[in-house]
Amino acid sequence: NAGVTQTPKFQVLKTGQSMTLQCAQDMNHEYMSWYRQDPGMGLRLIHYSVGAGITDQGEVPNGYNVSRSTTEDFPLRLLSAAPSQTSVYFCATGGQGVRGAPLHFGNGTRLTVT
Amino acid sequence: AQSVTQLGSHVSVSEGALVLLRCNYSSSVPPYLFWYVQYPNQGLQLLLKYTSAATLVKGINGFEAEFKKSETSFHLTKPSAHMSDAAEYFCAVRLDTGRRALTFGSGTRLQVQP
C-alpha cells in the first residue's frame, strides 16, 4: 500500500520554465491538496480538490494550476517558474465521513528555481 | 478564520528530560487540532489529534497533548525525551468544513542532547 506518492523527489528549474509535480494516491480519498513548506512559515495551502472535476484555491494559489480528472491523481503545474517558488511541496489527502479525519502526506518534492 | 501560534522555533532538551512544545490556536468555532512530526527529508506524520472526544489525547511514540479551551492551547508533551525524538513538530487546526484544509503553525525544531 503506497499511500501518497509524489514525483519527482528533487527538481531544479530555470526561471521561466514549466513543470508538473505529480501526486498519486491509492487510498480512494476524495480530498486532495497541495501545500508548500518554507522555513519559519509552516505549510501553506496552494490548491485543493474535493473530488474529480472539482478544484479550488487555497492561501497561496498564484503561479500554480491544478486539475483533477481522476480520484487518484492531482498534479500541480508551474507554468512559468520563479525563484519565489523555490520550496518543498507536499501533497496531502484526506478521508471523508469521519469527523476530524487527519490528512496523509507524501514525502515531498524539493524544488529549486534558479 | 483560524490561526495557530507555536511558541519557540527551537527547543533543546537533554535525553530523559521532559519535552514541552507549545501551541495556541484561535478559532471562531470548536476546532479539530493535530500535531504532526517531520523527520529530515520526509513528509509529515500524524502524532495525535483532538476531535472533542477527550481533552487529554495520547499519540504515538509516548507523546500526548491536552486541549484547554479556556487557554486556547494544545501543548504537546512527552515525559522523557529520546534521541530519536529530534525532529520538527507542527501544530495544526482545522474547522469542520468541506474544505478540510489545515492551518499550520510555523513549527518547532526539537533538539535532544545526549
Side-chain angles (χ1 to χ4, degrees), chain A residues 32 45-50 54-58 61 66 74, chain B residues 99:
Chain A
M32 298 185 74
L45 181 66
I46 304 171
H47 285 287
Y48 67 98
S49 169
V50 297
I54 307 170
T55 64
D56 205 348
Q57 296 182 349
V66 292
F74 190 44
Chain B
R99 195 180 191 197

Side-chain angles (χ1 to χ4, degrees), chain A residues 41-96:
Chain A
M41 304 187 73
L43 283 79
R44 293 178 292 168
L45 181 66
I46 304 171
H47 285 287
Y48 67 98
S49 169
V50 297
I54 307 170
T55 64
D56 205 348
Q57 296 182 349
E59 182 184 355
V60 288
N62 292 341
Y64 307 95
N65 279 353
V66 292
S67 60
R68 183 95 179 270
S69 56
T70 67
T71 300
E72 294 78 19
D73 300 296
F74 190 44
L76 179 71
R77 297 183 186 85
L78 284 70
L79 299 179
S80 179
S84 60
Q85 294 177 305
T86 293
S87 186
V88 182
Y89 292 85
F90 288 99
C91 178
T93 76
Q96 60 278 357

